[in-house]
Amino acid sequence: MAAPQVFSIAQAPITCHAFNGDRTHLALSLNDTKVDIYTKQGKGWQVTDTLSEHDRTITSIDWAPITNRIVTASQDRNAYVWSQSLDTDTGRMVWKPTLVLLRINRAATFVRWSPNEDKFAVASGARTIAICSFDPENNWWVARHLKKPIRSTVLSVDWHPNNVLLAAGSADTKARVFSAYIKDVDKRPVPTVWGEKLPFNTVCGEYASPAGGWVHAVGFSPSGDTLAFASHDSSITIVYPSGPTIYTIRSQSLPYVTLTWTAEDTLVTAGYDCNPVVYSGGLDGWSLAGTLDDTVGATKTGGTRTGTVGRLNTAAFNAFRNADTRGHTAETVTDTELHTIHQNTITSVRPYEKGAGGTVARVSTSGVDGKLVIWNVSAVSAGGLTGRLGAI
């Protein structure tokens, strides 16, 4: 089983991260107003550039692999598109920002490029999703808004492979699929399981969180025919609109806040429990496959890991549980290290490298512990994990 690559980037939370097309450069934000560009040097990463234009905390980053443009979103209600150009004074390539007219009055929370990289979507706290396309006459990016029927902050978005449909997860406990068709940008889309006529702001599907939790993350499968979303009620929901068939997996762990598909029948999700979890299935049902963190492997001290992993298996939690159920008390708790590689919430999981057949072979995760980890998707361990499946 291939061991994950672990990089301790900083002693600060990593809010978000993104790699360039050939994975030789990395953009991330350390919960501040800057984006640091890292270059792979030997076995580590070194800062080679810094993007400074925002004046509030950066919330999301995406790096277009083909056009090599970076888009950033921030709590300052702005987004910038960064492109490299030659500085005639120094003779080196520098990153320069282009203005984006978002026209929102609350923080931008999430951003993603479309598959064709000719537009991007910015989620916000203004109950609005800004679909941005380039205006060459004025040399800026302009936005059209998806608003109805969103009733609260939009927390995440994901594009359908056809470059038109957009999934969104919101704090109003709903996951929705919208049409983001722009006449001057997009070709007429072919019919899909989500619909045929797709004018801008058409709601192609709306799905509620099973127990009323915020929808933290959404994602289309590689074909675009299936939707997955993670909710704050510690559940994963898989939607097949052609049925329609909906499967809900209720987890016994803490809530997930991020997810990505690795194949048509597999996805990886992570969050407050500090370890990436794999689910697999199909039209016949979905179930928990295991974790990418080897929970039965050796620990740093040479022992073995037992039981569940994450924040529900620490000395502090076990002491509280023993006091509650058995009446046992302990004066001090000195062991606070989790039995996982990440020692705090995983904030983002993203595809890192594709393998045979176009499936994702490796994924990357970043977390509040300041670590960046690259995982082999095939290295799934079932140690200490249990799950429960329910079909609606």
Side-chain angles (χ1 to χ4, degrees):
M1 186 177 292
Q5 296 178 267
V6 183
F7 303 97
S8 294
I9 301 295
Q11 297 297 317
I14 300 177
T15 305
C16 45
H17 77 281
F19 287 91
N20 70 332
D22 61 8
R23 305 181 303 282
T24 58
H25 294 81
L26 164 69
L28 57 79
S29 178
L30 299 176
N31 199 37
D32 56 18
T33 61
K34 304 185 300 294
V35 175
D36 292 322
I37 306 296
Y38 290 75
T39 301
K40 188 68 178 293
Q41 295 182 0
K43 296 183 178 180
W45 296 88
Q46 296 295 327
V47 177
T48 55
D49 217 334
T50 299
L51 312 183
S52 302
E53 195 70 26
H54 293 285
D55 56 18
R56 292 290 185 274
T57 302
I58 290 172
T59 55
S60 187
I61 303 170
D62 201 24
W63 198 327
I66 299 174
T67 57
N68 199 40
R69 293 181 299 204
I70 298 173
V71 61
T72 58
S74 168
Q75 293 177 3
D76 62 8
R77 301 170 295 172
N78 290 322
Y80 291 97
V81 175
W82 303 80
S83 303
Q84 276 189 312
S85 59
L86 182 66
D87 188 334
T88 56
D89 294 332
T90 63
R92 61 187 295 266
M93 300 296 288
V94 296
W95 291 95
K96 294 186 177 180
T98 303
L99 179 65
V100 181
L101 299 180
L102 287 182
R103 297 184 293 113
I104 57 176
N105 58 7
R106 295 291 187 275
T109 57
F110 202 85
V111 64
R112 284 294 181 268
W113 284 105
S114 68
N116 293 347
E117 301 178 12
D118 52 4
K119 58 184 180 179
F120 56 88
V122 181
S124 74
R127 302 185 298 179
T128 299
I129 304 170
I131 308 300
C132 305
S133 58
F134 189 65
D135 179 1
E137 293 184 3
N138 296 299
N139 192 35
W140 58 31
W141 293 77
V142 295
R144 298 185 64 183
H145 288 170
L146 298 172
K147 290 185 176 181
K148 296 181 179 180
I150 302 170
R151 303 302 303 164
S152 189
T153 299
V154 182
L155 300 175
S156 63
V157 295
D158 188 54
W159 286 95
H160 188 278
N162 70 359
N163 207 66
V164 170
L165 296 175
L166 183 76
S170 175
D172 62 6
T173 75
K174 298 290 195 304
R176 299 180 177 91
V177 176
F178 294 95
S179 170
Y181 175 78
I182 299 177
K183 184 177 180 181
D184 297 333
V185 176
D186 299 306
K187 297 179 180 178
R188 184 178 179 87
V190 297
T192 69
V193 295
W194 300 99
E196 297 182 8
K197 296 183 178 180
L198 302 172
F200 189 82
N201 211 156
T202 299
V203 180
C204 304
E206 181 178 278
Y207 309 96
S209 171
W214 300 344
V215 178
H216 286 293
V218 293
F220 281 111
S221 65
S223 69
D225 293 342
T226 311
L227 177 71
F229 62 90
S231 308
H232 199 68
D233 55 7
S234 296
S235 70
I236 291 285
T237 301
I238 315 295
V239 179
Y240 292 91
S242 56
T245 303
I246 302 176
Y247 291 100
T248 299
I249 308 167
R250 301 184 183 277
S251 170
Q252 296 180 4
S253 67
L254 298 177
Y256 306 120
V257 298
T258 179
L259 66 81
T260 187
W261 290 79
T262 57
E264 194 64 28
D265 59 354
T266 309
L267 62 86
V268 177
T269 185
Y272 293 108
D273 215 35
C274 313
N275 63 304
V277 177
V278 179
Y279 290 92
S280 62
L283 271 170
D284 295 332
W286 279 74
S287 62
L288 178 66
T291 175
L292 298 183
D293 202 334
D294 183 9
T295 62
V296 296
T299 64
K300 294 179 181 179
T301 58
T304 58
R305 303 172 182 174
T306 59
T308 59
V309 297
R311 285 187 168 139
L312 300 186
N313 189 28
T314 63
F317 182 83
N318 289 333
F320 173 80
R321 181 173 55 192
N322 289 335
D324 179 56
T325 60
R326 302 178 184 178
H328 294 177
T329 59
E331 293 183 2
T332 60
V333 176
T334 58
D335 181 15
T336 59
E337 182 178 4
L338 302 182
H339 295 175
T340 53
I341 291 176
H342 277 291
Q343 292 296 297
N344 211 319
T345 301
I346 296 175
T347 55
S348 179
V349 56
R350 308 200 64 169
Y352 177 75
E353 181 183 11
K354 289 191 175 181
T359 60
V360 176
R362 291 194 290 172
V363 297
S364 60
T365 60
S366 58
V368 177
D369 58 357
K371 289 182 180 178
L372 174 76
V373 184
I374 299 172
W375 310 83
N376 191 327
V377 172
S378 62
V380 180
S381 168
L385 288 179
T386 57
R388 185 170 70 233
L389 176 67
I392 300 177

